[in-house]
Structures are given as structure tokens and as C-alpha cells.
Amino acid sequence: MMQVGIVNDLRVVAEALRRLIADTPGFQVAWVALDGEAAIEKYRDHPVDIVLMDLIMPGLDGVETTDALMKIRPCAILVVTATVTGNRELVYAAMGKGALDAVNTPDANSPTGIAEFRRKLLTVSRLVKHAAKHTLPHQTPSPFARPSASSARRPIASHPDNRTPTLIGIGASTGGPQAIATILRALPPDFNAAIVIVQHLDRQFVPGLQRWLQRETQLPIRLAAEDEPLHRGGVWLADCENHLIIRPAKDGSLHLHYTEEPLDTPHRPSVDTFMESLAQLRGIHRCGVLLTGMGADGAAGLLALHESGAPTFAQDPASCVVYGMPAVALKLGAVQEPTLLTDIAPRLLEFANQTSTKLPQLSSS
């Protein structure tokens, strides 16, 4: 039985959510808090599996309350707000503090709204249950935990030429948007590498994340499109429920592709699958970065990349919203030691400048 906490300053909304949860098999309301301060007190005394978090409240708002709860003990936080699109900035701020997803407050007279709320709730619960099976003894159970076994596939040989950019792969989950912004903010507009990012996020929020991140960097940020070629000085975000991978073309250029396989991953897109595709590239100047996030997704893929001879980096525990994915990477031997978040950009700049081929800047249009 999944234990749920409800945080909402409107009694009528809190009661409606309580009834909806009570009518959903497999879930039980543990407590209801009418403001952020009360939520912190209740959560400290009675941690739950899932918290339904309002955004706009008197006193501590949903962003501040999310931050406080995650510092007590990481859990799955689903933002429930009157309008996700209208509160987009707060939604991304909450995700930066550790919220997993967001949904509109369900209307009792809207079967569609209730169905969407239940779909999000069930998705989060499945991820939480799966995470419990793949959690290290010192970790908090997490929605993202499943090392992939597909890294044993035969490497793909590739011969870089003037069409092949230096490649940096970044994987992130809980708290990832803020960490990604910190890195991109510190990179110059003439950065000599292509950056591809897989962030655990419902696809509906990816375009908003792209716009949000674009305000933080001079590098052009695109949504990754099928068969799109990569070039230096660009940033691409995974934008599909399928897995994003990198494959070389016959002319030596690198292209983005989406694949349905593997089907049984707890989160789509999978950071493991993405990193493993980088590991298969031979003769390519590439590296991998694993940022904050619950669970283990990306750790096995980063290990495969490390074993292929590529540099690998994992975020330090102090700056992580949740030190899960980087912790597993360290335990597996995918990295020798954690890297301070503020040191990742300088390390990537140094790595990008090591390439012997300086490519012309391509148009971002």
C-alpha cells in the first residue's frame, strides 16, 4: 500500500484529493497538511512514499516545501496545481528542488482530468516500487533504479573526420534542471563540443525546459529530433518517450536516433541506454556526466562508457538534490571520485579543447 501525503492550503481541494486517493486501489492517505510548515512537521514524523504538493500557499510555497522535504528524506513528489501551464516557472523551480512531475488539480466533474491525475499517480507508484528492488543499503528507495545489462553489445567502429564533433553526454533525474543550468551557464558560446542531455521528465515539460534553459546559456538548445546530425556548440534535449541514442553515419557524422528497445526500463528515456550507445562509439572523442537523481539509472551505462576508455564524471554528494545515481556510479567504479558541480564545466571545457579537430561553428537555425 503506497502511503500518500497531501499538501494544499485549500481545504476543499485537500478533501477532494483525499477522497480520490481513498477511491484508488493501492493507495492510502497518511496525512493532510494545509501549509508548508505543517507538511514539514508531518513528514518528519511520518515519511510517506508520495507527496502531492500544491505550489501557491501562504508562508512556505510548494517550491520551498519541496526543498525542505527532500532534505529531510528524498521521496516522490508530484506537484498538483490549478494550472501547470500557468504556473510553469514554479513547476520548473519545484523540479529543480526534487519534484518528479506535475499535473493539473483534478476536477470532480472532469473524467479526463481525474484519469490524467490517476495516470500520473500510478506511473510514479510503479517507479517507486521498482526502485525499491534496486536500492543500495545506504540509499533511499527511488523512482529511477535499474542498471541495464545491454552494455555488452559489440562496439560500433567509427572513424572521425571533420564532420565528427566532440561529444558530451549528460544524464540527470531529480533536481537535474538546476544542475544542468549551472553547467551550461559556465560554458562559452563557442564551446568546442556537442552536448546531448537525457533528463528524466514527462515529455510535455521538455519544450518548457528547453525554453527555461535557453535563458541560462548562450549555447543554442534544441529538442532532439530523429536522425538529426550533431555539431559543436549545440545542446540537444531528449524529447521522446522512447530512448535516445547516438549512431554514426557512413560519412562519419554523429546522428540522434530514438528506439523503443529495451521495453522494460522503469523510465523512458533511459540514461543507461543513452550512455551505452556512447560506449559503443569507437574513435570518437566523447565523455559522460551523471548528475543528481534518485536510484541508479545511468550508472551502468556510465560504467560501460568508462570501460570503453572515455572520461566520466559524477556529481558530488553535497550539491546533489538526491545523491543516488552518482553514488551508484561511484560504487560500480564508473568514476574514480565525485566531481564538484561547479568544477564540471571547467573539466568539460578542458576535455573539449583536447580534441585535435577544431570544427567550424554551424548555424543553430
Side-chain angles (χ1 to χ4, degrees):
M1 185 73 69
M2 302 296 293
Q3 297 291 305
V4 179
I6 297 172
V7 187
N8 200 294
D9 67 309
L10 298 178
R11 291 181 184 273
V12 63
V13 175
E15 176 59 19
L17 290 173
R18 188 195 66 76
R19 292 181 180 181
L20 190 54
I21 294 297
D23 290 338
T24 304
F27 296 87
Q28 182 178 57
V29 175
W31 47 258
V32 175
L34 299 178
D35 57 53
E37 290 86 350
I40 293 170
E41 292 290 332
K42 290 178 180 291
Y43 185 70
R44 185 178 285 115
D45 295 337
H46 189 163
V48 292
D49 301 301
I50 301 172
V51 173
L52 306 182
M53 181 66 68
D54 191 13
L55 281 178
I56 301 174
M57 300 182 291
L60 295 179
D61 65 17
V63 177
E64 296 167 317
T65 307
T66 294
D67 186 34
L69 298 190
M70 294 298 287
K71 288 177 179 177
I72 295 171
R73 179 181 182 272
C75 70
I77 295 180
L78 175 62
V79 170
V80 183
T81 184
T83 167
V84 169
T85 56
N87 294 324
R88 185 181 293 112
E89 293 300 319
L90 285 175
V91 168
Y92 289 118
M95 287 180 174
K97 298 299 184 181
L100 298 179
D101 207 341
V103 66
N104 289 332
T105 304
D107 184 340
N109 297 317
S110 172
T112 301
I114 291 175
E116 175 64 9
F117 171 79
R118 283 193 166 130
R119 183 185 72 81
K120 295 267 189 177
L121 185 66
L122 290 170
T123 297
V124 169
S125 70
R126 283 195 297 269
L127 294 172
V128 170
K129 290 175 182 176
H130 186 99
K133 302 176 183 178
H134 301 277
T135 302
L136 296 177
H138 65 282
Q139 284 184 283
T140 299
S142 142
F144 311 118
R146 185 182 186 277
S148 170
S150 59
S151 59
R153 291 175 291 188
R154 184 171 60 85
I156 296 174
S158 182
H159 305 286
D161 58 19
N162 62 355
R163 288 174 294 273
T164 306
T166 293
L167 176 60
I168 294 170
I170 298 177
S173 185
T174 317
Q178 291 287 357
I180 293 167
T182 298
I183 294 170
L184 296 181
R185 199 181 295 124
L187 296 176
D190 60 347
F191 187 57
N192 194 47
I195 301 174
V196 182
I197 301 169
V198 174
Q199 163 72 49
H200 288 155
L201 193 64
D202 190 302
R203 188 184 181 188
Q204 68 171 311
F205 297 112
V206 177
L209 177 62
Q210 180 265 333
R211 293 189 294 270
W212 185 76
L213 287 174
Q214 189 62 81
R215 296 198 295 268
E216 302 295 322
T217 178
Q218 298 181 67
L219 294 168
I221 301 180
R222 304 178 185 224
L223 302 181
E226 173 63 27
D227 202 33
E228 184 176 3
L230 301 177
H231 60 77
R232 79 174 180 90
V235 181
W236 287 262
L237 284 174
D239 181 36
C240 186
E241 292 181 354
N242 288 331
H243 307 298
L244 182 64
I245 61 174
I246 312 295
R247 286 287 181 262
K250 291 182 179 179
D251 65 359
S253 59
L254 298 178
H255 288 242
L256 299 163
H257 292 284
Y258 288 102
T259 175
E260 293 183 350
E261 299 291 339
L263 296 174
D264 62 343
T265 56
H267 204 92
R268 305 177 71 86
S270 163
V271 180
D272 271 328
T273 301
F274 169 64
M275 291 293 183
E276 288 163 7
S277 76
L278 269 62
Q280 295 174 60
L281 300 172
R282 299 300 190 188
I284 299 295
H285 196 57
R286 75 265 195 255
C287 75
V289 180
L290 197 58
L291 301 176
T292 174
M294 293 181 179
D297 186 33
L302 197 71
L303 176 62
L305 186 58
H306 172 73
E307 291 178 340
S308 75
T312 52
F313 307 97
Q315 187 178 346
D316 68 293
S319 65
C320 284
V321 172
V322 179
Y323 188 53
M325 289 155 51
V328 179
L330 181 64
K331 182 177 178 64
L332 292 179
V335 293
Q336 291 185 339
E337 61 183 7
T339 302
L340 293 174
L341 178 60
T342 52
D343 286 346
I344 291 178
R347 298 287 292 275
L348 294 183
L349 186 59
E350 179 183 6
F351 167 79
N353 290 335
Q354 289 173 355
T355 180
S356 59
T357 302
K358 300 294 182 181
L359 300 176
Q361 180 81 43
L362 299 186
S363 171
S364 61
S365 60

